[in-house]
Amino acid sequence: MRTKNIELVLSPPEPHFVGDGFRVHNFIPGGYRADMVRMNPFILLDYGAKHYFPPTDQVRGVGVHPHRGFETVTIAYKGSVAHHDSTGEHGVIGPGDVQWMTAASGILHKEYHEKEFSRAGGEMQMVQLWVNLPARDKMSAPKYQSLTNDQIQKVLLEGNGGIVEVIAGSYRDVVGSATTFSPVNLLNVRLNMASGADFSFPSDFNTALLVVEGQVTVNKTEEVLTNHFALFQNDGEAFTIETTDGAIVLVMSGEDLKEPIVAHGPFVMNTRQEIVQAFEDFQKGKFGYLAD
Ligand code: MN
């Protein structure tokens, strides 16, 4: 196996607010070279680094909005995120839990801080990743997978090295919990002190990692600090990560869909005509109904 080398490491861009609840650093598609075509099927990565929200009785978050053509994956590290959508699904996730929403042909949803968390105040830390759908699945029925931490398959690393949570795809023959429409590996890697893990994905899979806690050394040479994002070249299969003081790292690797991308706001399709259609369908109420 050849080594998969790092192409670039991005420090966190200036944060911005999504609604009034999610203070995020956008790595995809805003990051240098980490655009939708380069990173496909990962078409958006918003990282909410740790941020303290004071207590409030207001609802903090993002109001009702549509999506079509992809999936939204929300991972909570700290705090508690709630979700409601127009198919009637509702969920609350806390630290270690994942919401995997397939917008596909169209959905309305709202995302916000869970009520009790808002009332008490506290630190929020989360990831939202958009996973593109293949053209053949973009107009399939919406669905929702709620994955609490106990439902996520795990691999224990030898020597008390830590845990790899297999959110989707596989790690060492352990198959992940979420179903996907194309080959996607999404691993939450929790490393203990003085430990490491190795990974292998096909060389042509687009691959990146986000350091959520601590810092790591990749391939024994490249330091990647807290809240930094590393994009890998497509030059090999295997890489290693190691840590001295412990770390949490989100690893993503997916097969390039190699289909055209036309994106406009909350719609990501293959052609401009499909985007026009999405706006028309949205205006005609074809995405269903969801109360504010
Ligand atoms: Mn959304």
Side-chain angles (χ1 to χ4, degrees):
M1 264 190 306
R2 297 164 296 172
T3 300
K4 194 185 275 298
N5 288 293
I6 283 184
E7 178 171 325
L8 72 134
V9 176
L10 293 172
S11 54
E14 278 299 303
H16 68 276
F17 266 87
V18 178
D20 61 0
F22 302 102
R23 178 185 176 273
V24 300
H25 304 275
N26 176 256
F27 285 106
I28 306 171
Y32 173 67
R33 272 192 279 170
D35 62 27
M36 287 185 174
V37 172
R38 172 66 183 86
M39 298 309 301
N40 202 4
F42 307 111
I43 49 176
L44 178 137
L45 175 62
D46 271 347
Y47 171 51
K50 260 178 255 173
H51 182 74
Y52 177 76
F53 287 87
T56 180
D57 288 327
Q58 307 287 332
V59 177
R60 282 200 189 101
V62 197
V64 177
H65 60 279
H67 291 294
R68 172 180 279 182
F70 57 94
E71 306 183 277
T72 67
V73 180
T74 307
I75 305 167
Y77 287 98
K78 287 183 182 296
S80 181
V81 183
H83 155 105
H84 255 103
D85 72 45
S86 51
T87 71
E89 293 283 359
H90 170 233
V92 174
I93 58 168
D97 301 338
V98 176
Q99 289 173 338
W100 195 297
M101 185 188 81
T102 305
S105 64
I107 206 165
L108 302 176
H109 78 157
K110 53 185 179 179
E111 303 155 273
Y112 50 97
H113 294 197
E114 186 273 328
K115 222 181 202 172
E116 292 309 315
F117 172 79
S118 278
R119 274 198 191 132
E123 272 194 327
M124 178 66 75
Q125 185 183 25
M126 50 73 72
V127 162
Q128 185 163 96
L129 178 69
W130 291 6
V131 177
N132 202 4
L133 286 172
R136 65 173 181 271
D137 298 311
K138 279 185 182 289
M139 293 302 283
S140 61
K143 65 171 187 171
Y144 179 75
Q145 303 173 74
S146 177
L147 303 168
T148 54
N149 194 264
D150 59 306
Q151 295 169 318
I152 297 174
Q153 297 297 318
K154 295 174 185 74
V155 176
L156 290 177
L157 298 170
E158 52 285 338
N160 193 32
I163 292 173
V164 176
E165 295 169 349
V166 189
I167 299 169
S170 63
Y171 183 72
R172 293 188 187 170
D173 301 330
V174 172
V175 174
S177 306
T179 59
T180 63
F181 291 79
S182 66
V184 171
N185 299 285
L186 187 61
L187 310 173
N188 195 44
V189 184
R190 299 178 186 270
L191 295 176
N192 293 333
M193 287 171 65
S195 69
D198 43 45
F199 301 88
S200 176
F201 304 108
S203 60
D204 57 352
F205 276 31
N206 291 327
T207 304
L209 62 78
L210 173 70
V211 179
V212 171
E213 292 282 354
Q215 69 177 71
V216 296
T217 305
V218 177
N219 293 331
K220 299 190 186 291
T221 52
E222 301 246 17
E223 301 278 314
V224 186
L225 305 177
T226 313
N227 298 345
H228 283 55
F229 172 88
L231 166 61
F232 288 88
Q233 299 178 37
N234 296 90
D235 58 345
E237 296 81 24
F239 65 92
T240 60
I241 60 179
E242 289 167 307
T243 181
T244 306
D245 298 325
I248 300 176
V249 181
L250 183 67
V251 173
M252 63 206 82
S253 182
E255 184 177 65
D256 194 333
L257 297 177
K258 294 196 169 100
E259 292 171 343
I261 296 176
V262 182
H264 197 106
F267 309 130
V268 182
M269 304 300 288
N270 302 110
T271 69
R272 168 133 195 90
Q273 179 50 38
E274 288 168 343
I275 292 292
V276 172
Q277 189 68 50
F279 276 96
E280 278 179 24
D281 289 350
F282 173 56
Q283 271 148 18
K284 283 182 189 154
K286 287 189 179 174
F287 284 51
Y289 174 77
L290 180 64
D292 284 327

